[in-house]
Amino acid sequence: MSTKKPPRWDLSNVYPSLSSPEYASDFSKFNQLIDEEEALLREKAAKLDAKSEISELAKMARELIEKYNQLLLVSGTLRAYLESFISTDSYNKEALKKLSEYDQVRVKRDRVDVLLLKWIGKVADRLPEMVKADPVLAAHQYFLEETVKQSKYLMSEAEEELASELSLSGSNAWEKLQGKITSQLSVEFELEGEVQKLPAPALINLRSHPDADVRRRAYEAENKMWESVKEPLAACMNGIKGEVNTLNRHRGRKDALHSAIDYAHIDRETLEAMLSTMQDSFPMFRRYFKAKARLLGKDKLAWWDLFAPVGEMKSTFSFDEAKEFILKNFSNFSPELESFARYAFDHNWIDAEQREGKRGGAFCMEVPGVGESRILSNFDGSLDQVSTLAHELGHGFHNYCAIKAGKTEIQKFTPMTLAETASIMNETIVSSAALKETKNKQEELAILETQLNNDSQVIVDIFSRFLFEKEVFERREKTELDADELCEIMLDAQKATYGDGLDERYLQKWMWTWKPHYYSAGLSFYNFPYAFGLLFGIGLYAIYQERGSAFVKDYMDLLASTGEASAADVASRFGIDIRSKTFWQNSIKIIEKRVERYCELVG
């Protein structure tokens, strides 16, 4: 493997620096746009109600929508730029101060959001007429209709404003603390005969190291590391979940899952159909776990063996090799996808280097002011990390399709469920194309392992995370939870999902400490959308296999419009009924074929 370091991203085309006049100008504009939108709502819109002339209502709604799109573009650009510093260097004091300044203004924007929701809710009965009267409103019809639905779950204006202001010293502060703690952790660890100081993400990534002793020692070191910070992280969890429960109760929500389902733009019937199908698939995945254990010469898999590489395909990639591997397989699907990804690689959109102060995991963020995206990963040369790069480039391609189609910021908003469509599709493209090119059974086994490891994480482990979060929310209604209780809940959730597929003595009770989704008040239950994305993406890939290149245009059109329809309506374009278990079962059957072939190769 090359000793050349993976790249860091470049955002110099957004603003020259945090202290630049360009940044200051946009920050000032952020304030100005909020004030202008609030003035419109308080001074003009407030004078109109459902009895007003339709021409006046349509004109006002259009002005509000156009101003709000401008506001989202500027605020989204500022936020992405700040995140580019915070996520890669939590020691950056200037960025932390700027983020605090941004959050203070963001509270004002929250107030505008509430006013907008309330006004649209007030004129809801006239909405069909307004949409007919103005093409801009017609183009934003779905947003307006969803706004009407969500306007029912608002406290008074004063209460919503207070909640937003208190979030700065509440959930927002707890989220920042969790990010700072986990990004600044490092451990002395012996690797390749040399004691190295490894940041937490690098230590976690050793779970896919080819040496079993390294994996086991990394698992043990990780456990000690989380043990040392368990109390402040438990406090973060309690603070955030407690705030979410309180606000949901005062807003008239049934539970935390209620708002998550709404934000995912699905219904409980759809969620239950999918979860039930996932649960039915656990015995199949346990066959895979047991086959892998046999391959490794174990009776059962310990947690540190769950991600062990198998087969004899190239097991380590330089970043440049990963790039070419991805581009080659993207080109088999679509020249436009390959061209997009090449541009992202060549223009330093990706921050892939592992280093202290950088957060773990991976994500993709849109930078709306320049019509681009940026991708964070912690690249370690494994095939799994190659797949992660392809995944995040899928999010970037999703953004690209919406930008290319000329969608506004409001139209580009995509629910969590559909947000994973392109990312899962990209993973499937890369692994399926690579599988076709295999030269022998060992290569085939290595690729199947990567596929099934990911599938099992998104179906089995995601279900465990869903159970964990559900239980935490329910218990938090009654009392605070200490770190040991959180570990107990996590272990129970893993036992319920992995079952006898893993060695119960060596599970990972600390999974709750470093998954950032648990620590966002606005992203409760950001787990089931990954499963939705996987199974929906696999279903779409099956359609692609039937239709070939003719599928690509429809697929790109779908990605461009995911913010303009419910998940059910988007799926229906391809003849998919997501409220029926049949669709989910058909996607699981594709995974089952992989399991059967894997078990056949293992023997």
Side-chain angles (χ1 to χ4, degrees):
M1 182 175 173
S2 170
T3 57
K4 180 181 176 182
K5 287 185 177 180
R8 299 188 181 195
W9 52 28
D10 176 18
L11 283 93
S12 59
N13 66 325
V14 184
Y15 304 111
S17 70
L18 285 165
S19 56
S20 67
E22 291 87 347
Y23 176 90
S25 175
D26 264 10
F27 192 76
S28 176
K29 188 176 181 181
F30 180 30
N31 269 288
Q32 179 186 338
L33 287 167
I34 291 172
D35 291 342
E36 290 174 357
E37 184 87 345
E38 183 169 1
L40 275 175
L41 285 159
R42 291 194 186 280
E43 296 169 16
K44 294 184 178 181
K47 297 176 182 178
L48 303 174
D49 57 28
K51 297 178 181 178
S52 301
E53 291 291 328
I54 198 66
S55 59
E56 291 181 314
L57 289 173
K59 182 181 177 182
M60 177 51 58
R62 176 178 182 147
E63 194 172 351
L64 289 169
I65 289 292
E66 290 177 338
K67 186 72 70 176
Y68 196 61
N69 270 317
Q70 294 176 43
L71 175 56
L72 292 178
L73 187 144
V74 174
S75 64
T77 303
L78 289 167
R79 179 71 200 200
Y81 189 69
L82 290 169
E83 187 64 28
S84 74
F85 290 93
I86 302 297
S87 61
T88 55
D89 180 12
S90 61
Y91 296 100
N92 190 318
K93 292 183 179 179
E94 182 184 13
L96 291 168
K97 183 178 180 181
K98 295 287 187 184
L99 179 61
S100 179
E101 292 171 353
Y102 174 92
D103 284 338
Q104 295 289 338
V105 180
R106 189 261 305 160
V107 168
K108 292 172 57 181
R109 205 201 87 177
D110 289 347
R111 184 169 65 228
V112 166
D113 289 348
V114 170
L115 291 172
L116 184 61
L117 257 71
K118 283 185 173 294
W119 187 78
I120 293 175
K122 186 171 73 170
V123 299
D125 291 344
R126 307 295 298 280
L127 193 59
E129 297 171 80
M130 292 161 63
V131 167
K132 287 182 181 179
D134 191 287
V136 171
L137 300 186
H140 293 84
Q141 181 175 353
Y142 182 68
F143 165 77
L144 292 167
E145 290 172 347
E146 283 299 304
T147 299
V148 168
K149 292 178 185 177
Q150 298 313 311
S151 67
K152 300 172 184 176
Y153 302 107
L154 284 175
M155 299 181 291
S156 70
E157 182 185 333
E159 288 172 320
E160 288 290 352
E161 185 172 350
L162 179 61
S164 182
E165 289 182 12
L166 288 175
S167 72
L168 295 179
S169 54
S171 59
N172 190 261
W174 289 119
E175 181 180 2
K176 288 179 180 178
L177 178 61
Q178 187 270 345
K180 184 175 289 189
I181 290 172
T182 55
S183 66
Q184 295 183 4
L185 281 174
S186 60
V187 172
E188 298 285 335
F189 189 83
E190 184 180 341
L191 189 62
E192 298 175 357
E194 174 185 352
V195 175
Q196 304 179 26
K197 188 177 182 182
L198 297 181
L203 184 69
I204 293 169
N205 279 348
L206 290 178
R207 63 189 183 178
S208 59
H209 196 280
D211 188 317
D213 181 63
V214 171
R215 295 195 301 271
R216 178 188 57 78
R217 289 189 297 108
Y219 167 83
E220 293 168 352
E222 184 187 341
N223 287 349
K224 290 180 181 178
M225 177 179 71
W226 297 127
E227 179 78 38
S228 71
V229 292
K230 66 179 184 179
E231 295 307 335
L233 293 180
C236 293
M237 182 76 78
N238 277 289
I240 290 167
K241 300 311 187 192
E243 179 179 312
V244 172
N245 274 340
T246 299
L247 290 176
N248 279 331
R249 188 167 60 252
H250 282 273
R251 286 170 176 154
R253 295 282 188 183
K254 181 178 179 181
D255 51 26
L257 189 57
H258 182 182
S259 59
I261 289 172
D262 277 2
Y263 294 148
H265 292 199
I266 59 173
D267 51 38
R268 287 184 188 256
E269 185 182 359
T270 297
L271 181 62
E272 287 302 321
M274 184 183 73
L275 291 176
S276 176
T277 305
M278 290 166 66
Q279 197 163 18
D280 292 344
S281 74
F282 292 165
M284 173 196 74
F285 280 106
R286 290 167 190 168
R287 293 201 302 274
Y288 153 64
F289 296 138
K290 291 174 182 178
K292 183 170 183 177
R294 293 197 302 274
L295 188 62
L296 296 177
K298 306 286 183 69
D299 292 331
K300 285 187 178 181
L301 285 179
W303 189 270
W304 64 76
D305 289 325
L306 189 57
F307 303 92
V310 302
E312 294 180 1
M313 188 180 175
K314 180 179 179 63
S315 58
T316 57
F317 294 75
S318 69
F319 190 81
D320 286 341
E321 288 170 335
K323 168 186 171 181
E324 294 308 317
F325 183 78
I326 289 170
L327 293 176
K328 174 187 175 184
N329 289 311
F330 279 4
S331 68
N332 293 333
F333 177 79
S334 162
E336 193 162 0
L337 174 59
E338 189 268 349
S339 176
F340 160 79
R342 186 177 295 279
Y343 188 91
F345 279 115
D346 292 348
H347 288 78
N348 294 325
W349 286 14
I350 302 169
D351 193 299
E353 181 190 28
Q354 299 180 92
R355 57 190 183 274
E356 191 175 357
K358 181 178 177 180
R359 62 161 282 184
F363 65 76
C364 174
M365 62 181 181
E366 184 193 1
V367 190
V370 290
E372 297 177 352
S373 297
R374 291 297 185 273
I375 289 165
L376 179 140
S377 72
N378 284 275
F379 186 77
D380 64 357
S382 66
L383 191 58
D384 177 64
Q385 282 295 313
V386 176
S387 180
T388 296
L389 274 177
H391 178 105
E392 299 305 336
L393 283 164
H395 288 302
F397 187 65
H398 197 152
N399 294 336
Y400 163 82
C401 289
I403 293 166
K404 180 183 177 184
K407 302 298 182 181
T408 66
E409 294 307 301
I410 290 174
Q411 291 170 328
K412 282 191 283 185
F413 171 77
T414 293
M416 295 186 296
T417 40
L418 296 174
E420 296 301 324
T421 302
S423 55
I424 298 297
M425 177 67 84
N426 271 15
E427 285 187 40
T428 308
I429 289 167
V430 168
S431 58
S432 297
L435 203 55
K436 289 179 181 177
E437 298 175 9
T438 53
K439 299 180 177 65
N440 55 58
K441 289 185 178 180
Q442 286 301 311
E443 281 192 359
E444 183 182 0
L445 187 62
I447 296 169
L448 282 170
E449 167 60 30
T450 300
Q451 284 185 320
L452 289 174
N453 189 276
N454 178 71
D455 294 342
S456 66
Q457 284 295 291
V458 177
I459 301 299
V460 183
D461 199 70
I462 284 292
F463 202 103
S464 75
R465 296 183 218 172
F466 176 83
L467 293 177
F468 169 81
E469 193 161 7
K470 186 171 183 291
E471 182 71 10
V472 169
F473 268 121
E474 290 173 358
R475 290 202 202 184
R476 186 64 185 85
E477 283 279 16
K478 302 172 184 175
T479 183
E480 290 187 359
L481 305 168
D482 62 34
D484 291 338
E485 287 178 279
L486 292 170
C487 288
E488 171 199 329
I489 296 170
M490 181 59 78
L491 284 176
D492 287 344
Q494 290 173 352
K495 290 174 183 176
T497 50
Y498 286 98
D500 63 357
L502 296 186
D503 190 329
E504 286 192 1
R505 298 173 299 172
Y506 304 111
L507 299 174
Q508 184 43 283
K509 64 183 182 180
W510 300 108
M511 282 288 286
W512 61 270
T513 57
W514 64 278
K515 287 292 181 185
H517 300 150
Y518 294 135
Y519 298 89
S520 172
L523 285 179
S524 299
F525 289 100
Y526 198 4
N527 34 58
F528 68 77
Y530 283 98
F532 187 106
L534 173 68
L535 297 175
F536 189 62
I538 286 175
L540 286 179
Y541 188 79
I543 296 172
Y544 160 67
Q545 288 180 306
E546 294 174 3
R547 293 181 52 189
S549 59
F551 166 86
V552 176
K553 184 183 182 303
D554 288 342
Y555 169 66
M556 291 180 65
D557 289 343
L558 180 151
L559 295 179
S561 61
T562 50
E564 299 174 276
S566 69
D569 287 343
V570 170
S572 68
R573 297 182 192 177
F574 289 85
I576 295 170
D577 178 8
I578 62 174
R579 294 187 181 91
S580 166
K581 285 186 69 170
T582 302
F583 167 69
W584 307 110
Q585 289 168 338
N586 287 339
S587 291
I588 288 290
K589 286 176 183 177
I590 294 174
I591 299 175
E592 187 170 22
K593 290 179 181 177
R594 297 172 185 170
V595 172
E596 290 171 354
R597 179 57 179 161
Y598 186 94
C599 293
E600 182 183 339
L601 290 171
V602 170

